[in-house]
Amino acid sequence: MLEKPLVIVVDDEAPIRDSVDMFLSGLGYRVLTFASAEALLEDLPVDQSACLLLDVRMPGMNGLEVIDELLRRGINWPIALMTGHGEDAALAFAESSPATIEVFAKPVSSEDVAAFADRRLATAR
Amino acid sequence: MGELAAGIAHELTQPLMAVHMYSETAASLRKRSDGAAELEQKVDEALEKVAEQSLRAGEIVQRMRAFIGKRQPQLTECRVNDLVCDVLGLLHSPLTTGDIEVQLKLADSLPDVRADSIQIQQVLVNLIQNAIDAMSADDQRPRNLHLGTRHDEDGYVVVSVADSGPGLSEDAFQQVFDPFHSTKPAGMGLGLPICKTLVEAHGGTIVARANGDAGAVFEFRLPVLMKGAMNA
């Protein structure tokens, strides 16, 4: 049996992590959650066909910095940037970054999350 | 008020997004459950979390209401020195319990300001309570609270609240008036943003800076009442 595709969620807000985890697990995805960028980098999954749901503003390293760090480490997962503070900076970053980035304003709908995972993991496989 | 609104919007976004995700989870599990006990249990769990998160959103709204209140500002001629003394009376108990030495330096013949005395007292209570909290957290330092008033050259009455607590980092000073940026473990991060909103609604300004080597100073300025302005 093929392993289920992996979605990684990084957000400092526990209810966001937990609810997205529950939702995507219900759809049959494997989900890993991290409370900070540092926690993700410390325990980086090696799965090359994952996709990442990433909060922009977090204590410590922010979402944009972690994308740069992932690229430096040769990891180029498709990324959904979730921003609660206006989309302009995130869109500008997405435009200039070599990573595949989609930008979503919080609150992000379940439909958008499901469609992102579906689209990105279908192309990754 | 714009920053405050943005902060509240951000804070409410979290539980709202969680409520949405949990309820969608419950709905999609329900469709597939077909009476399977394990899935039914997951549905219940998701619904419990919906309830929990919607309560959290409600609490945020209630805290906001309690802070801002519903009353219209009642502007009268106020003596700022009297307001400072009234608030010291209100906070007598926490100041004594906290073993805090109060040093008052109130300017003589300070002009009156046109203000809502309750709101200005609210600002003072907040600033002094923060100072008490900051100093009470540290047993090693002296606990001195300096309260001062003066009339500055630009025609404002200036009130300063200075403490000898641990102070704040440069970053924390930058963010001290941003909503939801509390440095206290149980803080909502709304006290100082609301102080700022209230002072600015009076045509004044509020700033925070380090108190020399130790502690923080919060200073707000209120415009002085012009003769005859109250009748205009």
Side-chain angles (χ1 to χ4, degrees):
Chain A
M1 192 176 127
L2 276 173
E3 204 171 21
K4 294 174 186 173
L6 174 64
V7 183
I8 299 162
V9 182
V10 185
D11 197 306
D12 58 317
E13 279 281 326
I16 303 272
R17 288 196 304 276
D18 186 62
S19 61
V20 173
D21 181 356
M22 209 169 168
F23 175 69
L24 288 171
S25 302
L27 295 182
Y29 290 101
R30 244 179 341 129
V31 183
L32 280 178
T33 65
F34 296 93
S36 68
E38 287 83 354
L40 168 72
L41 293 171
E42 208 164 283
D43 206 4
L44 205 58
V46 288
D47 195 328
Q48 283 298 319
S49 63
C51 72
L52 183 58
L53 287 162
L54 182 60
D55 188 23
V56 175
R57 195 182 284 192
M58 294 180 284
M61 191 185 249
N62 71 36
L64 308 183
E65 290 163 340
V66 77
I67 294 175
D68 287 339
E69 180 57 31
L70 287 172
L71 289 172
R72 258 194 296 278
R73 296 187 187 192
I75 294 166
N76 196 356
W77 293 320
I79 291 163
L81 262 181
M82 304 184 291
T83 167
H85 295 86
E87 293 152 85
D88 292 352
L91 283 169
F93 179 89
E95 191 76 18
S96 64
S97 171
T100 307
I101 302 171
E102 298 183 37
V103 176
F104 297 96
K106 280 185 172 177
V108 186
S109 73
S110 58
E111 220 167 59
D112 282 344
V113 166
F116 167 78
D118 193 39
R119 187 162 58 236
R120 292 306 170 188
L121 290 174
T123 56
R125 272 174 296 186
Chain B
M1 200 63 198
E3 287 163 48
L4 192 56
I8 295 160
H10 175 249
E11 197 70 359
L12 282 173
T13 293
Q14 315 288 352
L16 283 177
M17 181 169 158
V19 162
H20 170 73
M21 288 290 166
Y22 287 131
S23 49
E24 288 290 327
T25 303
S28 84
L29 289 173
R30 170 72 74 207
K31 263 184 223 152
R32 295 187 284 119
S33 75
D34 206 19
E38 193 198 340
L39 289 181
E40 291 283 327
Q41 200 184 332
K42 275 269 169 205
V43 171
D44 289 346
E45 193 189 320
L47 289 176
E48 261 169 43
K49 287 179 170 178
V50 166
E52 200 177 280
Q53 289 302 312
S54 51
L55 264 184
R56 181 180 160 211
E59 274 164 17
I60 293 168
V61 171
Q62 276 176 5
R63 289 293 295 269
M64 282 303 309
R65 278 218 190 95
F67 260 111
I68 292 175
K70 288 185 199 136
R71 55 192 292 280
Q72 291 292 314
Q74 316 249 315
L75 299 177
T76 56
E77 289 178 43
C78 296
R79 288 187 185 145
V80 172
N81 285 350
D82 289 354
L83 295 181
V84 172
C85 293
D86 290 348
V87 167
L88 276 182
L90 284 174
L91 293 176
H92 178 74
S93 166
L95 284 167
T96 313
T97 314
D99 202 14
I100 286 161
E101 191 179 321
V102 180
Q103 286 150 343
L104 268 181
K105 206 171 165 188
L106 305 180
D108 294 330
S109 65
L110 205 59
D112 289 349
V113 297
R114 181 172 182 257
D116 183 314
S117 57
I118 307 271
Q119 290 185 343
I120 298 307
Q121 284 179 335
Q122 197 182 342
V123 172
L124 279 164
V125 167
N126 218 299
L127 296 181
I128 295 171
Q129 188 63 56
N130 280 351
I132 295 172
D133 291 346
M135 290 187 284
S136 302
D138 193 332
D139 282 339
Q140 307 302 315
R141 297 164 187 278
R143 296 182 176 179
N144 299 321
L145 175 71
H146 289 258
L147 296 175
T149 58
R150 63 176 200 275
H151 185 196
D152 77 0
E153 57 275 19
D154 299 326
Y156 285 81
V157 167
V158 183
V159 184
S160 65
V161 176
D163 67 63
S164 59
L168 292 166
S169 68
E170 194 60 37
D171 278 356
F173 269 118
Q174 297 281 329
Q175 295 184 322
V176 85
F177 295 108
D178 291 353
F180 305 106
H181 268 288
S182 185
T183 56
K184 299 185 206 171
M188 273 283 280
L190 285 177
L192 289 173
I194 287 169
C195 287
K196 183 167 184 265
T197 303
L198 292 177
V199 169
E200 287 176 354
H202 282 80
T205 53
I206 185 166
V207 292
R209 59 168 187 274
N211 184 17
D213 293 338
V217 186
F218 287 83
E219 202 167 79
F220 64 92
R221 313 184 326 146
L222 297 170
V224 166
L225 178 72
M226 297 298 176
K227 285 284 171 221
M230 287 299 284
N231 304 324

